[in-house]
Amino acid sequence: MFSVQENFNVTPLSSFKIKSKVRYFVELKDEKDLPKLFKEIKKSRLPYFIMGRASNLLFCTEEYNGWAVKLAPMGINYAEGIFQVGAGDLLLKLIQEMTRAGYGGLHKLVGIPGTIGGAIRGNAGSYGTEISDALLEVNFFDTDKMVFGVLKKSECQFKYRRSIFVDRKNLVIIAAKFSSEPWDYQELEKEMNRILEKRKNKSYGQYPSAGSIFKHIGLEEIKDEKQRSGLVQNYQKKTGLKNVNFIPAGYLLEKIGLEGKQAGQAKISPEHGNIIINLGGATAQDILALINLAETEVSNKWGISLQQEIVCIGL
């Protein structure tokens, strides 16, 4: 069984801490209740979204007239090098369990605050690693056909910050299996501590945010060859990298000088052009104003269309 809470305040659950509430909120503790729940949702004729830790969400309206469905943690089961974990469990928990068992593969994702379901949906990545690297298969519930199913990694259509679950919103991730090659425990801990320390030293981490706002720009997206070559050379000079396959959105925003720009109580981080922080009491309109400013300025200067990495709820 499950309980439905009406006019539920989701502000504390969002990493952006933007004031908002949803018409109906359900925290589902048993995946077997999904068919019954979605019969209720369909009967209401209202929209819905699946909510993890809301670390990559922006509630774009103070009152969302629909359903928020949150999957409760199921815990992690480990046997013979395979880790099975629920969609509502934290990515950090999986990384910790894999590390204790002497398996790496996902350790560079340490510090990403989301759940397994959200991370799989957006193929979360950091420091050259993506969650799909160690994925074996995904268990899902199809809200159209009202059936459960399994997709192998090769069927999930993983791309940069994308998967089949972005396009097929009827496929609700409920669990997944992971595996990787054994790693040296001490090396894993050393690398994870280095990454965590690096994240900790960023002052924007003291404020509510949703991480990167925009996706990296693939070189194929920059149509003007001269412009593409110039951006690559300048980025190489800045970073010392020899091989460049993309241009970070934050780099473009920094070149324009948008760091530190503010709208209401929202601000583009002075340290990172691709991070918007909530100084306290920011509204969705404040955040959207800065997003629109960034998109407009980059388009005007380079003709490049920035693609949002965050998910807007309510627009």
Side-chain angles (χ1 to χ4, degrees):
M1 292 294 294
F2 57 87
S3 61
V4 180
Q5 300 181 64
E6 294 190 45
N7 299 316
F8 185 83
N9 180 19
V10 290
T11 307
L13 302 181
S14 165
S15 64
F16 246 139
K17 298 296 182 285
I18 298 296
K19 184 179 179 181
S20 187
K21 61 182 179 180
V22 297
R23 177 77 174 275
Y24 300 115
F25 177 84
V26 176
E27 182 171 17
L28 206 64
K29 297 181 179 180
D30 190 338
E31 64 188 55
K32 294 178 182 178
D33 288 329
L34 279 165
K36 185 176 180 180
L37 171 61
F38 275 91
K39 284 182 181 178
E40 289 293 317
I41 292 176
K42 289 181 179 182
K43 184 179 178 180
S44 73
R45 298 181 179 274
L46 293 175
Y48 72 89
F49 70 95
I50 306 300
M51 184 176 179
R53 202 177 182 185
S55 58
N56 202 34
L57 296 182
L58 172 62
F59 291 100
C60 296
T61 176
E62 284 195 20
E63 296 185 9
Y64 176 72
N65 188 29
W67 297 71
V69 179
K70 184 176 177 62
L71 301 179
M74 292 171 51
I76 300 170
N77 294 316
Y78 165 65
E80 299 180 354
I82 296 177
F83 299 80
Q84 181 160 348
V85 57
D89 288 273
L90 294 179
L91 174 59
L92 176 60
K93 292 292 185 183
L94 173 62
I95 294 170
Q96 290 173 333
E97 288 296 319
M98 291 180 71
T99 300
R100 291 191 191 101
Y103 290 87
L106 296 181
H107 58 284
K108 289 186 178 181
L109 304 188
V110 68
I112 294 179
T115 58
I116 292 296
I120 291 173
R121 180 185 182 278
N123 195 17
S126 180
Y127 296 102
T129 296
E130 295 177 327
I131 191 169
S132 57
D133 293 344
L135 184 75
L136 295 177
E137 63 183 35
V138 177
N139 295 78
F140 67 87
F141 176 71
D142 187 331
T143 63
D144 287 345
K145 298 179 180 179
M146 302 292 274
V147 296
F148 293 90
V150 179
L151 287 177
K152 299 295 184 183
K153 172 182 174 178
S154 59
E155 299 174 297
C156 291
Q157 301 175 19
F158 286 114
K159 298 178 183 177
Y160 170 68
R161 302 298 180 268
R162 200 169 185 87
S163 73
I164 191 174
F165 304 101
V166 173
D167 301 314
R168 299 275 302 278
K169 292 180 173 59
N170 58 302
L171 303 183
V172 177
I173 301 169
I174 55 178
K177 289 182 180 179
F178 295 86
S179 186
S180 72
E181 295 297 321
W183 288 61
D184 180 78
Y185 177 79
Q186 292 184 335
E187 286 298 317
L188 284 174
E189 282 229 309
K190 182 179 178 181
E191 180 71 3
M192 287 166 61
N193 288 334
R194 183 187 69 80
I195 292 172
L196 286 173
E197 189 64 26
K198 189 174 181 180
R199 290 182 181 275
K200 181 181 176 181
N201 290 333
K202 302 292 186 181
S203 66
Y204 56 74
Q206 301 172 17
Y207 298 93
S209 78
S212 295
I213 297 294
F214 301 106
K215 299 178 182 180
H216 294 324
I217 298 96
L219 298 186
E220 70 280 358
E221 298 175 49
I222 307 174
K223 304 304 181 183
D224 188 294
E225 187 175 343
K226 184 177 180 180
Q227 183 183 90
R228 180 171 63 246
S229 177
L231 284 171
V232 168
Q233 289 177 17
N234 288 334
Y235 185 61
Q236 287 175 320
K237 288 179 182 179
K238 177 181 172 66
T239 61
L241 295 173
K242 293 183 178 180
N243 298 316
V244 173
N245 299 316
F246 60 84
I247 300 295
Y251 174 70
L252 297 183
L253 299 178
E254 290 160 13
K255 283 183 70 67
I256 295 174
L258 291 186
E259 296 164 295
K261 288 290 184 180
Q262 191 168 332
Q265 288 299 300
K267 184 177 184 178
I268 297 178
S269 169
E271 288 183 279
H272 196 310
N274 201 19
I275 301 286
I276 296 177
I277 57 177
N278 179 358
L279 298 174
T283 65
Q285 286 67 40
D286 295 337
I287 304 290
L288 292 171
L290 291 178
I291 290 175
N292 182 64
L293 174 64
E295 291 174 338
T296 300
E297 292 293 324
V298 168
S299 178
N300 288 343
K301 186 171 180 62
W302 290 289
I304 296 172
S305 297
L306 292 177
Q307 302 296 317
Q308 293 181 30
E309 188 169 326
I310 63 169
V311 178
C312 290
I313 301 297
L315 284 184

